[in-house]
């Protein structure tokens, strides 16, 4: 039987499925201290006991995104606050290559907020 976190990825249709799996690997390769977890019915990536980020798919556009924990404290032109209180979103365009450098630049800023090593 599949775990809920595995089911999240595997039940998506392509190209969303492949994008989410690639994002998972990109996140896990960023820092060995990030651990995948299933919290609040979301595929999260934990730094210690804190949610560093999580993955989700916009219901209207079907566009995957990375929600950055403590994102409200990060300034970056690619991040979207919207009406969210704590997180900012980095939308991923399925028609383009995944912006790994942008992701890691934002993660570097986020990691400083957690007092972690980059």
């Amino acid at each position: 039987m599949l775990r809920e976190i595995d089911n999240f990825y595997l039940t998506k249709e392509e190209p969303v499925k492949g994008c989410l799996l690639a994002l998972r690997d990109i996140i896990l390769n960023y820092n060995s201290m990030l651990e995948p977890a299933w919290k609040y019915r979301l595929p999260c990536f934990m730094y210690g006991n804190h949610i560093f980020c999580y993955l989700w798919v916009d219901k209207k556009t079907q566009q995957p995104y990375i929600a950055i924990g403590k994102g409200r404290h990060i300034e970056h032109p690619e991040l979207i606050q919207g009406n969210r209180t704590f997180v900012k979103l980095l939308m991923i365009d399925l028609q383009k290559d995944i912006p790994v450098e942008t992701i890691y630049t934002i993660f570097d800023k986020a990691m400083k907020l957690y007092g972690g090593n980059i």
Side-chain angles (χ1 to χ4, degrees):
M1 186 166 141
L2 288 177
R3 300 177 304 161
E4 287 182 85
I5 194 168
D6 297 324
N7 199 40
F8 170 80
Y9 296 104
L10 298 177
T11 58
K12 302 294 186 262
E13 293 187 25
E14 293 295 351
V16 173
K17 177 181 175 179
C19 181
L20 289 169
L21 289 169
L23 288 171
R24 179 188 64 184
D25 291 344
I26 289 165
I27 293 166
L28 292 174
N29 286 327
Y30 170 73
N31 187 308
S32 63
M33 298 295 291
L34 293 177
E35 294 287 333
W38 185 251
K39 301 271 186 186
Y40 311 107
R41 301 183 69 163
L42 298 166
C44 297
F45 298 87
M46 308 295 290
Y47 184 78
N49 292 326
H50 303 282
I51 295 175
F52 183 78
C53 67
Y54 65 86
L55 295 175
W56 201 247
V57 179
D58 184 87
K59 286 180 175 55
K60 292 180 184 174
T61 66
Q62 291 301 300
Q63 189 174 8
Y65 61 82
I66 303 173
I68 310 297
K70 297 189 181 187
R72 68 180 176 182
H73 302 294
I74 300 171
E75 291 301 321
H76 191 281
E78 298 293 321
L79 289 177
I80 300 167
Q81 176 82 47
N83 60 359
R84 291 164 184 81
T85 307
F86 298 106
V87 301
K88 285 187 180 177
L89 309 181
L90 177 63
M91 305 304 289
I92 305 299
D93 187 339
L94 293 169
Q95 304 302 315
K96 298 180 181 177
D97 290 340
I98 295 174
V100 178
E101 282 187 39
T102 299
I103 292 169
Y104 285 174
T105 297
I106 293 167
F107 281 6
D108 288 348
K109 292 178 182 213
M111 190 58 73
K112 289 178 185 174
L113 296 171
Y114 289 90
N117 296 323
I118 299 172

